[in-house]
C-alpha cells in the first residue's frame, strides 16, 4: 500500500490532494483509510497553510466520526491528524473543538490500547496549550481525570504526554490549575519525581511548576505532596532540562510568601540551587537566579540565608560571565534584592566588587534597556544601605549624576560618626573629589556635600577646593617679605 506516499511538494495542489485523501478516508480497505489519515497528518504537521486546507476541505468531521468507529490503527492516525492541525494556532485548535472532536478524543483516553491513549493525549495537549478558553473546553470534555489515570499507566511514553497535557492545562489560570489539583494529579506527579526517565521527570516538574505558580494555596498543595527534599536531587541531574525545571518549581513555590521561602531554606533548597547555578550555564541558570532573588526579597533573614550559603559570589559570577542580557538582568535584580535590606547585606554584595560591574552594565550603550533599568535599580538599592566606604569611593569618580547623589548621600551619613573614615576620606582624595562636584544650589546633592564639609575644619575644606592653589599662589605673588 505504498501508493499513498504523499510527499510535501504540493502546496499549489492543496485542494486536489485534500479531496483525494478525503475520498480515500472512506475507502472500504482499512489500510488505505489509515494511510490516507497518516498522509493528512503529515501534511497538516508541515505548516499551518496545509493544516488550514485540511479544515477547509471539511475533512475533520469525517475523521471525528471514524475515530469513534474504527480500529486502533485508524484511531491513532486520526488523532495524529487532529494533533497536527491543532498545534499551529488557536484558530485551528478551535476548528477541532467546533467539529466535536473533544468528546471522541476523551473517549480514546479510555481505550484499551496505550498507543490510542497516547495519540489522544497528544491531540488534547496541543489544543489545551494555546489559551485558557481552549484549555477549559478540554477540561469540560472530562479529560483531566482520565489524564491523571494515564500518568499511572506503566508505559513511559503515555506517562510523559499525560503529564505534559496536565501541565499545559494548568498553566493558564488558577481555576484550571485547581481542576488539575482536584483530580488528584499532584500526589501522583510528586511520587514520580525520582523516575529514572529524564523526559518524564522534566514533564512532571513542569506540571508541578504550572500548578504552583498561580497562588499561595496551590503552591502549598504541591509542598504538602512532600516534594521536599526529593526535588533537590533533580538539581544535580545530568539532564539540563530536569535541572532547569526543578529550579523553576522551587522558584514558583518560594516567590509567594516568606513562609514558603523559609520552608525552602529549611529543606536546604537555597544551597542546592546555588550549587546548581554553579554547575550549569545559560538559560538553565535563570530560574535559580530568580529564585534567589525572590527568597532574598521577602525579608532580612531570608536574604541573609542566601548570603550565608554563598549566593552573592555565584550571582556575581553570573553577572560577569553570562553573555545574554536577560540573564545578567536577572542576576542584577537578585543582587539588588539581597543588598537592599541593611548595611550588612549591602556590604556582602559590595565586597564582591559587584557595584562597578553593575555600573558599567548600566552605562553601556550595548546593554538592553531592561538590563540598564535592573542594573540602575540594583545599584540604587545597594547604595542606599551601603556604609562600606571603600566600595563607594570609586563611584565618586565614575558615576553619572543620578547615581552620584546616592553615593555622596551615603558618605554624608557615615562620615559624621566615624573619625577613622573621615581621615581616610581626606588621604584617599575623596574630600577633594567632593569639592569638585557641581551641584545645584539648594539641591539634595548640595545638602549632602554641605553635610560632608561640616565634618571637617573650614581650612581643610578650603584647601581641597578647586582654585585654592591659585589663591595661594596669588598670595605668594602679593606677599611682601619683611625687610630685615
Amino acid at each position: 500500500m505504498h501508493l499513498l506516499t504523499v510527499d510535501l511538494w504540493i502546496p499549489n495542489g492543496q485542494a486536489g490532494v485534500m479531496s483525494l485523501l478525503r475520498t480515500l478516508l472512506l475507502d472500504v480497505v482499512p489500510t488505505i483509510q489509515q494511510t490516507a489519515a497518516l498522509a493528512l497528518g503529515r501534511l497538516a504537521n508541515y505548516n499551518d497553510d496545509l493544516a488550514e486546507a485540511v479544515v477547509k476541505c471539511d475533512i475533520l468531521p469525517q475523521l471525528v466520526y471514524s475515530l469513534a468507529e474504527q480500529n486502533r490503527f485508524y484511531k491513532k492516525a486520526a488523532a495524529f491528524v487532529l494533533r497536527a492541525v491543532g498545534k499551529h494556532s488557536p484558530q485551528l485548535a478551535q476548528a477541532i473543538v467546533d467539529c466535536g472532536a473533544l468528546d471522541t478524543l476523551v473517549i480514546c483516553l479510555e481505550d484499551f490500547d496505550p498507543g490510542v491513549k497516547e495519540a489522544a493525549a497528544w491531540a488534547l495537549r496541543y489544543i489545551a496549550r494555546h489559551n485558557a478558553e481552549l484549555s477549559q473546553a478540554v477540561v469540560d470534555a472530562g479529560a483531566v481525570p482520565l489524564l491523571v489515570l494515564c500518568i499511572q499507566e506503566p508505559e513511559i511514553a503515555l506517562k510523559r504526554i499525560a503529564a505534559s497535557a496536565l501541565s499545559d492545562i494548568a498553566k493558564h489560570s488558577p481555576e484550571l490549575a485547581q481542576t488539575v489539583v482536584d483530580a488528584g494529579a499532584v500526589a501522583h506527579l510528586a511520587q514520580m519525581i525520582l523516575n529514572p526517565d529524564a523526559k518524564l521527570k522534566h514533564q512532571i516538574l513542569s506540571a508541578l511548576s504550572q500548578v504552583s505558580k498561580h497562588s499561595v494555596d496551590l503552591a502549598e498543595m504541591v509542598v504538602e505532596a512532600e516534594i521536599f527534599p526529593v526535588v533537590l536531587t533533580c538539581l544535580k541531574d545530568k539532564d539540563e532540562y530536569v535541572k532547569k525545571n526543578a529550579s523553576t518549581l522551587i522558584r514558583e513555590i518560594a516567590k509567594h510568601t516568606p513562609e514558603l521561602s523559609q520552608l525552602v531554606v529549611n529543606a536546604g533548597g537555597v544551597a542546592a540551587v546555588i550549587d546548581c547555578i554553579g554547575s550549569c550555564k545559560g538559560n538553565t541558570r535563570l530560574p535559580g537566579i530568580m529564585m534567589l532573588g525572590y527568597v532574598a526579597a521577602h525579608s532580612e533573614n531570608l536574604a541573609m540565608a542566601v548570603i550565608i550559603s554563598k549566593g552573592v559570589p555565584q550571582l556575581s559570577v553570573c553577572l560577569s560571565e553570562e553573555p545574554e542580557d536577560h540573564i545578567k538582568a536577572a542576576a542584577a535584580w537578585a543582587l539588588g534584592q539581597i543588598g537592599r535590606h541593611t548595611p550588612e547585606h549591602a556590604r556582602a554584595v559590595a565586597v564582591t566588587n559587584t557595584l562597578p560591574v553593575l555600573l558599567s552594565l548600566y552605562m553601556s550603550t550595548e546593554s538592553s534597556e531592561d538590563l540598564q533599568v535592573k542594573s540602575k535599580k540594583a545599584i540604587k538599592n545597594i547604595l542606599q544601605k551601603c556604609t562600606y566606604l571603600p566600595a563607594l569611593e570609586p563611584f565618586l569618580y565614575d558615576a553619572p549624576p543620578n547615581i552620584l547623589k546616592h553615593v555622596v548621600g551615603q558618605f554624608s551619613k557615615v562620615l559624621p560618626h566615624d573619625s577613622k573614615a573621615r581621615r581616610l576620606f581626606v588621604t584617599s582624595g575623596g574630600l577633594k573629589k567632593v569639592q569638585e562636584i557641581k551641584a545645584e544650589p539648594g539641591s539634595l546633592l548640595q545638602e549632602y556635600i554641605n553635610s560632608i564639609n561640616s565634618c571637617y575644619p573650614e581650612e581643610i575644606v578650603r584647601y581641597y577646593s578647586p582654585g585654592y592653589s591659585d589663591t595661594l599662589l596669588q598670595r605668594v605673588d602679593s606677599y611682601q617679605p619683611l625687610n630685615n
Side-chain angles (χ1 to χ4, degrees):
M1 288 287 111
H2 296 297
L3 75 168
L4 281 176
T5 309
V6 178
D7 214 335
L8 300 177
W9 45 264
I10 37 128
N12 298 325
Q14 282 175 11
V17 170
M18 295 300 172
S19 58
L20 170 64
L21 290 171
R22 184 170 183 267
T23 306
L24 293 170
L25 284 175
L26 304 169
D27 199 277
V28 290
V29 181
T31 321
I32 290 179
Q33 294 176 1
Q34 292 153 29
T35 315
L38 200 57
L40 281 166
R42 286 180 180 157
L43 287 167
N45 199 43
Y46 187 65
N47 65 29
D48 52 356
D49 286 341
L50 288 166
E52 273 181 40
V54 171
V55 175
K56 283 176 184 163
C57 289
D58 215 22
I59 290 168
L60 295 180
Q62 177 60 42
L63 283 166
V64 173
Y65 174 75
S66 304
L67 194 60
E69 306 290 322
Q70 297 280 6
N71 65 29
R72 62 198 172 108
F73 301 107
Y74 184 89
K75 285 177 179 177
K76 282 189 265 191
F80 173 58
V81 181
L82 296 174
R83 157 191 170 183
V85 171
K87 79 171 191 177
H88 292 291
S89 69
Q91 292 76 22
L92 286 166
Q94 188 63 52
I96 294 171
V97 174
D98 293 343
C99 74
L102 291 182
D103 290 339
T104 316
L105 286 167
V106 169
I107 290 167
C108 287
L109 288 178
E110 296 184 272
D111 198 274
F112 180 73
D113 185 275
V116 174
K117 289 180 181 174
E118 189 188 334
W122 271 108
L124 291 165
R125 180 215 165 179
Y126 274 135
I127 293 164
R129 73 177 185 171
H130 290 294
N131 57 42
E133 291 73 29
L134 287 162
S135 202
Q136 189 63 54
V138 170
V139 169
D140 293 343
V144 173
L146 295 172
L147 288 167
V148 174
L149 288 173
C150 287
I151 60 175
Q152 299 168 64
E153 293 285 352
E155 293 80 16
I156 290 290
L158 180 54
K159 286 178 183 286
R160 284 181 194 159
I161 187 55
S164 183
L166 290 168
S167 178
D168 278 329
I169 290 166
K171 74 182 182 184
H172 297 292
S173 71
E175 294 74 24
L176 286 162
Q178 189 65 54
T179 307
V180 171
V181 170
D182 292 344
V186 170
H188 293 295
L189 290 166
Q191 283 165 13
M192 291 190 289
I193 286 174
L194 291 183
N195 190 290
D197 184 77
K199 285 183 181 173
L200 176 57
K201 266 194 290 204
H202 66 74
Q203 298 296 3
I204 287 163
L205 293 165
S206 170
L208 292 171
S209 300
Q210 299 293 6
V211 170
S212 302
K213 75 179 185 182
H214 294 291
S215 71
V216 178
D217 288 346
L218 287 164
E220 284 176 348
M221 285 173 185
V222 172
V223 170
E224 283 163 15
E226 297 181 359
I227 62 162
F228 290 106
V230 178
V231 74
L232 303 183
T233 61
C234 296
L235 296 170
K236 295 188 176 77
D237 201 279
K238 58 179 183 290
D239 185 284
E240 294 291 297
Y241 287 108
V242 172
K243 279 185 180 180
K244 185 180 179 185
N245 287 7
S247 296
T248 303
L249 172 55
I250 297 165
R251 177 192 75 193
E252 298 298 3
I253 290 166
K255 75 180 185 184
H256 290 293
T257 63
E259 291 75 22
L260 282 167
S261 269
Q262 189 64 57
L263 187 147
V264 171
V265 171
N266 294 349
V270 167
V273 166
I274 291 165
D275 287 345
C276 178
I277 293 169
S279 71
C280 55
K281 295 275 186 286
N283 278 319
T284 309
R285 278 175 158 172
L286 187 58
I289 291 168
M290 293 178 70
M291 176 265 184
L292 295 177
Y294 281 128
V295 170
H298 285 304
S299 73
E300 286 179 23
N301 288 345
L302 286 164
M304 192 51 72
V306 176
I307 292 169
I308 290 164
S309 297
K310 307 213 165 29
V312 174
Q314 194 58 69
L315 288 168
S316 299
V317 167
C318 296
L319 191 70
S320 303
E321 256 186 24
E322 284 294 333
E324 297 281 341
D325 277 11
H326 68 283
I327 301 173
K328 286 181 186 285
W333 169 78
L335 287 161
Q337 297 307 315
I338 294 166
R340 72 183 177 85
H341 293 285
T342 69
E344 193 180 356
H345 291 79
R347 180 176 180 139
V349 178
V351 295
T352 60
N353 206 33
T354 296
L355 286 167
V357 179
L358 286 168
L359 183 62
S360 67
L361 291 171
Y362 167 57
M363 303 280 283
S364 172
T365 52
E366 291 178 13
S367 293
S368 67
E369 187 182 349
D370 182 53
L371 178 53
Q372 288 178 330
V373 168
K374 295 248 181 2
S375 297
K376 180 187 172 186
K377 189 81 181 1
I379 292 167
K380 192 175 167 186
N381 280 346
I382 297 160
L383 286 180
Q384 286 177 334
K385 293 294 179 184
C386 187
T387 56
Y388 180 60
L389 300 188
L392 294 178
E393 205 155 304
F395 276 68
L396 289 172
Y397 301 89
D398 302 328
N402 59 337
I403 303 282
L404 185 63
K405 70 178 179 192
H406 298 297
V407 179
V408 177
Q410 288 309 105
F411 279 109
S412 75
K413 288 177 196 169
V414 176
L415 292 174
H417 313 291
D418 189 335
S419 58
K420 191 177 171 188
R422 286 199 294 273
R423 180 181 175 83
L424 195 61
F425 194 57
V426 174
T427 56
S428 68
L431 184 62
K432 181 176 186 292
K433 183 60 190 171
V434 166
Q435 306 315 310
E436 293 166 6
I437 294 169
K438 292 179 170 53
E440 292 286 322
S443 66
L444 196 58
L445 179 56
Q446 187 60 60
E447 283 180 34
Y448 291 151
I449 292 170
N450 293 344
S451 177
I452 291 169
N453 289 346
S454 68
C455 297
Y456 296 94
E458 193 180 333
E459 60 268 28
I460 294 290
V461 175
R462 206 162 51 238
Y463 178 78
Y464 285 107
S465 297
Y468 184 69
S469 55
D470 294 338
T471 308
L472 285 181
L473 286 171
Q474 285 170 8
R475 287 176 63 184
V476 168
D477 290 342
S478 60
Y479 182 70
Q480 296 295 325
L482 293 169
N483 291 323
N484 289 334

